[in-house]
Amino acid sequence: MFAKIEHGPLMDRVYRHQRHFYDVTRKYYLLGRDPMIAGLNPPERGSILEIGCGTGRNLILAGEAYPKTSLYGIDISNEMLATAHKKIEIAGLGKRAKLAYADAADFNPQALFARRHFDRIFISYAVSMIPQWQLVMHEAVSHLAPHGSLHIVDFGDLADLPSVSRKALYKWLDWYHVTPRNDLFDIAESIALKNNATVQKQRLYRGFAWITTIRRNGM
């Protein structure tokens, strides 16, 4: 068993039971995940890493959409990783996908997967749960190959929703240790500026979901 990381025990407690029905319930409100996956467009035999791979749902969809890519996933919850391993095997992607327990704020892909860089890295509804989310974004960009890109989908600022709905949703998210990062776009711009990269931003569903892409230029 891997050594526990500080944030790991909390995530294990949150998902110990939820992982068994997580995908069934989350499809109704984790909006924007599929458009984000559709926008990955990796090289034909490229590499895709998911940070916070959870149950493996998104990694499986990415593997099916891009059948010649190599797949990688890290998560800080052993409970979620156990489910991801099973689902990936059932999906027939076991030979293409490698998973590891790691802290997204400080991980060594060379040690974990015997590679330094990835063509695409994506984070789906995880930055709103990670205390060191800005550091995670910096870390992810540092592991991009030339012309590689980081894709993030998460809760937006909910600005265009009715105030009653917005307040109720914020309260409900707080129960699950989720905090929408209303400065996500600003942080993405700042990171891009420091890394010779460009940024794309999308607001979906009246601000309910945001997608941002940081694309690294050639080096």
Side-chain angles (χ1 to χ4, degrees):
M1 182 62 67
F2 293 98
K4 289 290 184 182
I5 303 173
E6 183 178 355
H7 192 52
L10 172 60
M11 293 297 97
D12 280 339
R13 290 195 299 273
V14 169
Y15 293 119
R16 182 165 290 121
H17 302 296
Q18 287 191 45
R19 64 191 175 99
H20 299 295
F21 52 85
Y22 182 93
D23 290 334
V24 174
T25 58
R26 266 53 176 187
K27 68 180 181 180
Y28 296 108
Y29 60 88
L30 296 189
L31 307 178
R33 294 181 296 172
D34 294 353
M36 183 270 296
I37 292 171
L40 292 176
N41 294 319
E44 184 176 1
R45 298 187 181 276
S47 54
I48 300 174
L49 167 69
E50 180 176 14
I51 291 176
C53 62
T55 63
R57 182 262 189 195
N58 298 324
L59 207 55
I60 290 170
L61 290 181
E64 292 172 347
Y66 309 107
K68 295 184 179 181
T69 55
S70 299
L71 307 171
Y72 303 88
I74 62 171
D75 205 287
I76 203 169
S77 168
N78 280 314
E79 298 287 347
M80 282 298 214
L81 282 171
T83 296
H85 276 291
K86 291 179 182 179
K87 290 196 171 188
I88 284 172
E89 286 295 333
I90 292 172
L93 297 175
K95 292 183 179 180
R96 287 174 54 201
K98 297 180 180 180
L99 306 180
Y101 181 83
D103 184 346
D106 184 18
F107 69 99
N108 184 343
Q110 185 69 45
L112 295 174
F113 303 121
R115 66 178 306 129
R116 293 177 56 197
H117 300 117
F118 304 90
D119 295 299
R120 300 291 183 268
I121 299 177
F122 71 90
I123 308 174
S124 173
Y125 283 93
V127 296
S128 55
M129 299 193 71
I130 300 173
Q132 296 175 294
W133 65 279
Q134 296 184 28
L135 184 58
V136 168
M137 290 176 63
H138 280 280
E139 181 77 3
V141 170
S142 75
H143 298 306
L144 288 175
H147 301 292
S149 54
L150 168 64
H151 303 248
I152 298 173
V153 61
D154 216 301
F155 294 104
D157 59 8
L158 317 177
D160 297 329
L161 295 178
S163 60
V164 173
S165 300
R166 185 166 61 250
K167 290 177 181 178
L169 182 57
Y170 270 122
K171 185 174 182 60
W172 181 74
L173 292 175
D174 188 56
W175 291 345
Y176 291 94
H177 309 281
V178 175
T179 304
R181 310 304 184 184
N182 294 344
D183 53 347
L184 175 61
F185 287 162
D186 293 335
I187 297 302
E189 291 276 9
S190 175
I191 293 173
L193 188 61
K194 296 176 182 178
N195 288 277
N196 188 31
T198 58
V199 175
Q200 293 178 324
K201 297 171 283 186
Q202 291 178 268
R203 291 173 53 89
L204 304 176
Y205 316 113
R206 302 179 67 184
F208 183 93
W210 284 357
I211 297 177
T212 185
T213 302
I214 301 176
R215 192 173 305 279
R216 200 160 206 172
N217 297 318
M219 293 178 290

